[in-house]
Amino acid sequence: MSSGTQQSAVMFRAMRITDVPDIIAIEREAFTTPWTAEAFINELTHNHFARYIVMEDHTGIIGYGGMWTIIDEAHVTNIAVRHDRRGMGLGEKLLQRQMESAAEYGMQRMTLEVRVSNDRAQRLYERLGFEPAGIRPGYYSDNNEDALIMWVELDASKTGEQPG
């Protein structure tokens, strides 16, 4: 009766250049102004701050997330799950993994921007401890929508990291 069987088989790994075509397909499903393949390739090959992971199961890549780790702060650049896999808790699992990874890299805080109209994503972020911290006016170029800036303190006890 539970969708836990699909979720229990989910694995995470570092994104590879060979993953970019699958990532672009998810980007196009998820965003009105998707990143290009060249943008992802540049992130993977030239941006030493960039950390990208993919989430996969027996069907292949079902989600991905990216962040930049700068000094002690992680900035989520993007996070998305395949359209047909949404509503199963996978986005939350993916963001939790990103938070754990950021803590493992020594990051103390994490930030992201989200459309002010995206209540569903904001609720997810709030469940994981993110709090609103301001507005970026006209942040989204497709419709000039504002972005809500959200932050969370990364605490090893909240991200699942166990001491020693």
Side-chain angles (χ1 to χ4, degrees):
M1 300 283 185
S2 165
S3 62
T5 53
Q6 287 181 340
Q7 292 180 20
S8 63
V10 170
M11 295 176 298
F12 298 96
R13 64 169 172 78
M15 186 186 292
R16 301 185 287 249
I17 290 178
T18 55
D19 297 327
V20 170
D22 290 327
I23 300 310
I24 292 301
I26 297 171
E27 265 291 293
R28 289 182 179 146
E29 287 178 356
F31 302 111
T32 56
T33 53
W35 282 21
T36 63
E38 293 77 20
F40 281 103
I41 291 167
N42 185 61
E43 286 288 280
L44 294 172
T45 59
H46 292 95
N47 184 348
H48 64 278
F49 298 114
R51 309 280 183 261
Y52 285 81
I53 60 172
V54 297
M55 177 174 57
E56 56 188 357
D57 66 8
H58 68 283
T59 67
I61 296 173
I62 57 173
Y64 70 93
M67 66 181 166
W68 294 342
T69 54
I70 303 171
I71 305 176
D72 64 352
E73 295 177 353
H75 183 116
V76 176
T77 55
N78 36 26
I79 183 168
V81 173
R82 281 204 179 280
H83 188 267
D84 64 351
R85 302 303 291 276
R86 293 184 192 155
M88 300 178 182
L90 295 169
E92 185 167 350
K93 241 184 152 90
L94 180 55
L95 185 54
Q96 283 176 323
R97 180 62 196 121
Q98 279 189 282
M99 293 170 72
E100 291 167 5
S101 178
E104 290 164 7
Y105 281 113
M107 302 298 105
Q108 295 176 9
R109 303 175 75 203
M110 179 177 264
T111 187
L112 53 78
E113 290 91 6
V114 59
R115 289 179 185 269
V116 293
S117 65
N118 193 343
D119 294 329
R120 185 176 184 182
Q122 289 176 40
R123 284 192 303 273
L124 164 63
Y125 304 147
E126 288 170 355
R127 274 197 310 276
L128 293 177
F130 283 82
E131 296 178 354
I135 298 286
R136 292 198 198 282
Y139 183 77
Y140 293 97
S141 60
D142 62 330
N143 65 357
N144 212 35
E145 184 174 356
D146 295 347
L148 177 64
I149 305 163
M150 300 183 81
W151 284 90
V152 67
E153 296 292 325
L154 296 174
D155 176 9
S157 66
K158 290 182 182 173
T159 58
E161 186 178 298
Q162 299 299 315

